[in-house]
Amino acid sequence: MKTIKRFAGLLLLLALGMCLYSCIGPVPVDVVMIDNELYFVLEEERNIAAIQVAVFNAGKKIQDGETMWALNHDLGTEVKKRKYPNLKQIKYGQILDEFPRVIGPAPLKRNVEYWVGMNMGDRFAGEVFIIKDDNKVVMPRRKIKEGSVK
């Protein structure tokens, strides 16, 4: 009987964990080049709390990469006074009045892996991308599920 209760408890814990992950799991972001401008595009509009583009160091922690561009809030500002823009897309280097702290933008090089991360408070979007010599963007670590490509 104890074994059945433990198994049921573990099964319930696993189900709750999967539900929690689906609620706070990652949000897909596409990286596209349009007329020599780099854009980060979400599936739907979301409140953005911060955005960062950094050099991606595959063998190291993401924080070890040089920040090329970042927008965020001063942590000394009261949370109630912070404004979060509702965006579906953002152009690399775009300055938004809602974010008082700005780093960069620094020029991006060809054939270098970069990482973009967007904090949405309760959700997060992140993707690795490379700008190739032909000015096309490649997302080498993109996981595509079968049937998800239209």
Side-chain angles (χ1 to χ4, degrees):
M1 190 66 163
K2 284 184 178 181
T3 306
I4 293 173
K5 285 183 180 180
R6 283 187 185 169
F7 180 72
L10 287 174
L11 194 59
L12 179 62
L13 187 62
L14 179 64
L16 289 174
M18 287 175 32
C19 289
L20 180 63
Y21 179 76
S22 68
C23 292
I24 63 169
V27 173
V29 58
D30 287 321
V31 183
V32 296
M33 184 75 74
I34 301 171
D35 296 330
N36 292 325
E37 298 286 347
L38 190 66
Y39 290 89
F40 308 107
V41 183
L42 301 168
E43 290 179 339
E44 59 188 45
E45 286 189 353
R46 295 195 175 267
N47 288 331
I48 306 297
I51 184 167
Q52 179 185 14
V53 175
V55 175
F56 182 73
N57 292 324
K60 300 179 181 178
K61 293 182 180 178
I62 197 69
Q63 291 82 2
D64 290 343
E66 176 188 0
T67 297
M68 306 305 287
W69 176 59
L71 298 174
N72 57 20
H73 289 281
D74 182 1
L75 297 178
T77 306
E78 283 185 52
V79 175
K80 293 178 183 178
K81 293 183 180 178
R82 296 178 190 173
K83 295 179 183 175
Y84 301 103
N86 195 25
L87 302 170
K88 182 175 179 174
Q89 72 178 24
I90 186 167
K91 183 173 79 166
Y92 177 78
Q94 181 177 348
I95 303 299
L96 298 170
D97 293 335
E98 293 89 349
F99 296 110
R101 294 190 60 208
V102 178
I103 298 172
L108 300 178
K109 298 177 184 173
R110 305 286 186 246
N111 300 312
V112 174
E113 281 188 315
Y114 293 102
W115 174 83
V116 59
M118 292 185 208
N119 181 350
M120 298 164 212
D122 62 339
R123 304 291 297 263
F124 184 80
E127 187 64 68
V128 174
F129 66 95
I130 302 169
I131 302 171
K132 302 302 278 182
D133 286 330
D134 60 358
N135 217 28
K136 304 279 187 209
V137 176
V138 176
M139 295 179 284
R141 288 169 173 67
R142 170 63 53 103
K143 294 178 185 175
I144 298 176
K145 297 177 184 175
E146 285 187 39
S148 66
V149 178
K150 296 179 181 178

